[in-house]
């Protein structure tokens, strides 16, 4: 804080407001200037910033205190406007800490108060220091555009109970709805549309990705794409995660074993291709992606006699294990199937993991129960 | 009692006259704090007065207050400079610059009933507490 202050010269500079200027800042800045001028006349050559701010803050509080006290005294006397005696009383109150002549005299007339005399002395002795800037009248009062009354518009107020000098009503177009469709059907439609949209979101992103990959191969004359390319390159240089994705065949990767069951499930055909790309995009709910699997599993449990469905259960290998929340469902589902012995190993693996977490175990139990219920229903 | 009353009433007249003279003289004297500023802050606390003399009265009172505080701080500053030991005769004997510091100000304000406490330092940059020569100030 002691890094020297501003110098107060003949023309004191206005402090530059760093923050967004509000109403208070404006007045405070001027107070700082005035306080600096007074201090300069006392003999100070420079100030610390914080000291100047503190003193100007004290000044503002002093003015407000005088005003408040004077107002209180005026109210006590039953007036709304203060007069000179209210101010003198206020000054006496504030000056009691410092003390003035005749403070202990309780019966004196206010006009001869010690504060006034000291003030008169001060005025007589000190020289005038005019303020450095010319101040406009503030705060500026904006002219409000009032709503015109019925009379002014020339309208007849609707209804006899409304007098004509009241402001007119706004245009009916501003508050009335244009058309009122049938509520329930639209709601249903909206719900359906939303569902579809949610399903299509990953599909859309996938399509975009495919398009982008495809168009990357061709030369594109359009400037927008070139800009994207340049940006992608720039981004790739700075951040390896933003690098352009590799084309098919550019890099040798291990082949991916597609699960067989994807051909078997019928209803959610749009959801299936998403499963492959699932590792990249975690925002699409894992549950959503696995609903085909789970549903297929459920259907597989019900028709467990059919041979080809067994293939479904057996060929559910390691791919799904990598994704977190899928484990619970798969683990619990697998537990309940009595036929698959090949999964006992995996089940024990699950078991080990689930031992660590109580909550997971509980969730598993709940799911087991629910699947158990399903089986019971089947038996019925 | 009567005599006193008469005296006081005479004095009252004199005092009233003195007061009105004083208020009239205020119109000649331009306080350093401009009228609009004082009016703005007085309005904030609910003070209403169409009389300009009252505004001037408040402005002058504030100016006097600030001047008193400043003079007290100046005395503190000079007292401190007097006690500083002069290192060499070759150097300038005293730092002639009079700077209003927070320390002097807080002492001066304390006498007037305003308690201002100032932080010694803020540890908001890595160079705090380091060798002053190497610091950027």
């Amino acid at each position: 804080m002691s890094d020297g202050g501003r110098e107060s010269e003949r023309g004191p500079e206005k402090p530059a407001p760093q923050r967004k200027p509000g109403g208070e800042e404006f007045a405070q800045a001027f107070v700082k200037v005035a306080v600096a001028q007074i201090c300069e006349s006392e003999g100070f050559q420079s100030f610390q910033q914080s000291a100047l701010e503190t003193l100007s803050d004290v000044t503002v509080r002093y003015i407000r205190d005088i005003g408040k006290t004077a107002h209180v005294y005026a109210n006590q006397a039953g007036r709304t406007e203060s007069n000179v005696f209210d101010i003198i009383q206020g000054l006496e109150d504030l000056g009691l800490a410092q003390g003035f002549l005749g403070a202990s005299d309780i019966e004196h007339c206010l006009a001869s108060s010690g504060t006034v005399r000291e003030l008169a002395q001060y005025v007589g002795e000190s020289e005038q220091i005019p303020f450095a800037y010319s101040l406009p009248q503030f705060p500026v009062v904006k002219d409000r555009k009032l709503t015109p009354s019925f009379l002014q518009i020339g309208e007849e107020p609707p209804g006899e109970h409304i007098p004509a000098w009241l402001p007119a009503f706004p245009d009916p177009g501003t508050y009335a709805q244009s058309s009122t469709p049938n509520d329930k059907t639209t709601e249903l439609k909206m719900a359906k549309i939303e569902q579809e949209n949610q399903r299509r979101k990953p599909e859309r992103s996938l399509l975009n990705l495919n398009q982008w990959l495809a168009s990357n191969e061709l030369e594109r004359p359009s400037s927008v794409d070139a800009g994207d390319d340049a940006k992608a390159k720039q981004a790739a240089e700075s951040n390896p995660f933003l690098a352009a994705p590799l084309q098919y065949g550019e890099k040798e990767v291990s082949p991916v074993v597609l699960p067989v069951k994807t051909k078997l499930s019928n209803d959610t055909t749009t959801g299936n291709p998403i499963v492959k790309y699932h590792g990249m995009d975690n925002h699409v709910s894992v549950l959503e992606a696995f609903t085909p699997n789970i549903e297929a599993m459920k259907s597989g449990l019900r028709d467990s006699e059919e041979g080809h469905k067994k293939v479904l259960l057996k060929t559910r290998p390691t791919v799904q294990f990598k994704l977190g929340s899928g484990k619970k469902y798969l683990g619990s589902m697998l537990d309940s199937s009595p036929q698959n012995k090949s999964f006992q190993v995996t089940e024990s693996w699950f078991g080990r993991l689930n031992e660590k977490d109580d909550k997971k175990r509980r969730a598993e139990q709940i799911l087991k129960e629910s699947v158990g219920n399903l089986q019971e229903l089947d038996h019925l | 009692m009567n005599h006193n009353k008469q005296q006081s009433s005479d004095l009252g007249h004199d005092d009233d006259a003195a007061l009105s003279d004083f208020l009239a003289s205020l119109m000649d004297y331009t306080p350093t704090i401009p009228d609009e500023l004082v009016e703005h802050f007085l309005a904030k606390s609910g003070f209403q007065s169409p009389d300009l003399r009252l505004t001037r009265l408040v402005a002058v009172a504030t100016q006097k207050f600030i001047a008193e505080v400043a003079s007290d701080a100046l005395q503190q500053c000079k007292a401190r400079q007097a006690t500083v030991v002069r290192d060499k005769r070759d150097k300038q004997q005293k730092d002639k610059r009079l700077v209003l510091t927070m320390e002097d100000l807080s002492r001066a304000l304390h006498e007037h009933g305003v308690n201002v406490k100032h932080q010694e330092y803020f540890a908001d940059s890595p160079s705090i507490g380091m060798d002053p020569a190497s610091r950027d100030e």
Side-chain angles (χ1 to χ4, degrees):
Chain A
M1 277 296 163
S2 60
D3 51 316
R6 308 171 304 144
E7 284 211 337
S8 74
E9 296 151 343
R10 263 312 142 92
E13 316 119 26
K14 239 189 247 194
Q18 301 287 334
R19 300 154 283 182
K20 198 172 57 166
E24 229 15 76
E25 306 275 340
F26 186 67
Q28 286 247 332
F30 279 115
V31 167
K32 269 196 225 179
V33 174
V35 163
Q37 279 186 287
I38 297 173
C39 291
E40 191 195 11
S41 76
E42 284 293 314
F44 276 108
Q45 287 155 351
S46 57
F47 326 93
Q48 281 184 354
Q49 275 277 11
S50 54
L52 187 64
E53 281 182 11
T54 314
L55 196 52
S56 58
D57 191 41
V58 167
T59 314
V60 168
R61 280 177 201 235
Y62 190 77
I63 299 176
R64 290 178 75 162
D65 269 352
I66 296 180
K68 197 162 63 165
T69 330
H71 191 60
V72 160
Y73 277 116
N75 287 345
Q76 270 187 339
R79 290 177 269 113
T80 51
E81 267 187 25
S82 318
N83 64 17
V84 66
F85 297 110
D86 299 326
I87 297 183
I88 296 174
Q89 265 182 314
L91 286 176
E92 281 196 355
D93 278 358
L94 288 172
L96 280 175
Q98 188 71 1
F100 54 90
L101 277 174
S104 58
D105 192 7
I106 49 175
E107 279 187 9
H108 69 277
C109 171
L110 273 177
S112 65
S113 161
T115 44
V116 178
R117 258 181 267 156
E118 286 180 6
L119 215 52
Q121 221 180 9
Y122 175 76
V123 168
E125 287 173 356
S126 72
E127 49 184 70
Q128 280 190 39
I129 314 153
F131 191 63
Y133 293 97
S134 68
L135 215 52
Q137 190 69 28
F138 77 97
V140 176
V141 178
K142 236 176 15 175
D143 279 333
R144 271 171 49 204
K145 230 173 70 169
L146 297 168
T147 334
S149 69
F150 284 113
L151 275 176
Q152 286 170 352
I153 292 184
E155 258 182 34
E156 267 276 318
E160 284 177 355
H161 61 285
I162 304 175
W165 46 265
L166 283 179
F169 286 131
D171 249 353
T174 56
Y175 56 81
Q177 278 184 9
S178 51
S179 62
T180 53
N182 200 357
D183 285 350
K184 275 195 178 174
T185 50
T186 45
E187 268 186 40
L188 281 172
K189 276 186 196 168
M190 290 304 293
K192 274 190 185 171
I193 292 169
E194 267 198 50
Q195 245 186 6
E196 279 278 42
N197 279 342
Q198 277 195 7
R199 280 189 189 162
R200 289 216 183 109
K201 260 191 222 166
E203 183 191 284
R204 229 179 278 141
S205 65
L206 178 62
L207 278 173
N208 288 338
L209 181 64
N210 276 332
Q211 278 174 7
W212 192 75
L213 284 173
S215 53
N216 251 343
E217 293 171 358
L218 313 167
E219 279 184 24
R220 281 166 303 163
S222 61
S223 58
V224 178
D225 295 333
D228 281 348
D229 253 356
K231 275 186 200 171
K233 278 182 192 167
Q234 245 189 359
E237 279 164 2
S238 56
N239 192 347
F241 293 103
L242 294 176
L246 300 168
Q247 298 298 327
Y248 181 72
E250 259 185 43
K251 193 174 176 186
E252 263 193 17
V253 291
S254 53
V256 176
V257 175
L258 293 176
V260 177
K261 61 155 179 58
T262 53
K263 300 173 191 168
L264 296 171
S265 59
N266 295 322
D267 41 346
T268 53
T269 45
T270 54
N272 282 333
I274 302 162
V275 177
K276 275 189 263 173
Y277 289 88
H278 208 65
M280 291 199 318
D281 184 7
N282 284 325
H283 285 301
V284 177
S285 66
V286 178
L287 180 56
E288 194 190 338
F290 277 125
T291 39
N293 302 348
I294 296 172
E295 284 173 11
M297 267 205 76
K298 284 189 188 169
S299 60
L301 285 169
R302 284 193 208 115
D303 313 342
S304 52
E305 289 124 18
E306 293 181 48
H308 66 281
K309 294 287 185 182
K310 276 189 194 175
V311 174
L312 174 144
L313 293 171
K314 275 185 184 167
T315 58
R316 188 158 332 172
T318 51
V319 176
Q320 282 81 13
F321 293 167
K322 288 173 192 166
L323 297 166
S325 52
K327 270 186 207 169
K328 277 187 245 169
Y329 298 103
L330 291 174
S332 51
M333 296 292 192
L334 291 169
D335 274 342
S336 52
S337 64
Q339 298 162 354
N340 293 312
K341 294 169 192 170
S342 58
F343 284 98
Q344 278 177 6
V345 180
T346 52
E347 206 247 2
S348 61
W349 186 53
F350 273 125
R352 255 188 283 128
L353 285 175
N354 291 335
E355 269 165 22
K356 298 173 191 171
D357 201 348
D358 249 350
K359 276 187 187 174
K360 279 187 186 171
R361 221 188 297 158
R362 266 187 262 143
E364 250 192 60
Q365 280 176 1
I366 293 169
L367 278 165
K368 274 188 207 171
E369 286 171 19
S370 64
V371 174
N373 288 340
L374 269 176
Q375 279 193 327
E376 284 176 355
L377 287 171
D378 292 337
H379 289 317
L380 290 172
Chain B
M1 271 304 239
N2 280 334
H3 184 64
N4 277 345
K5 267 195 186 167
Q6 216 180 10
Q7 267 191 346
S8 62
S9 64
D10 283 340
L11 285 170
H13 280 308
D14 288 339
D15 285 335
D16 285 341
L19 186 59
S20 41
D21 284 342
F22 170 61
L23 288 176
S25 72
L26 270 185
M27 295 315 290
D28 296 330
Y29 182 91
T30 315
T32 309
I33 309 176
D35 290 332
E36 294 91 356
L37 211 55
V38 176
E39 271 176 13
H40 172 67
F41 288 119
L42 284 176
K44 278 211 165 193
S45 51
F47 179 93
Q48 280 225 28
S49 169
D51 200 350
L52 189 61
R53 295 178 297 173
L54 300 182
T55 326
R56 287 269 169 102
L57 183 62
V58 175
V60 167
T62 316
Q63 188 179 340
K64 177 168 167 289
F65 173 74
I66 301 293
E68 278 177 8
V69 170
S71 67
D72 285 347
L74 192 67
Q75 283 173 9
Q76 297 270 348
C77 188
K78 284 186 178 164
R80 175 167 316 131
Q81 280 182 356
T83 55
V84 164
V85 180
R86 298 172 213 162
D87 295 329
K88 289 177 188 173
R89 291 296 167 111
D90 302 331
K91 252 168 134 188
Q92 251 187 346
Q93 289 178 343
K94 271 185 226 175
D95 188 11
K96 285 183 184 167
R97 290 176 68 81
L98 294 163
V99 184
L100 175 66
T101 59
M102 273 304 292
E103 224 183 294
D104 298 335
L105 186 63
S106 71
R107 276 198 210 141
L109 280 175
H110 187 71
E111 289 183 13
H112 285 264
V114 180
N115 295 325
V116 173
K117 183 156 191 313
H118 174 58
Q119 300 285 13
E120 293 294 327
Y121 60 89
F122 292 102
D124 57 355
S125 90
S127 67
I128 297 285
M130 272 169 39
D131 187 19
S134 59
R135 252 199 291 182
D136 279 334
E137 290 238 85

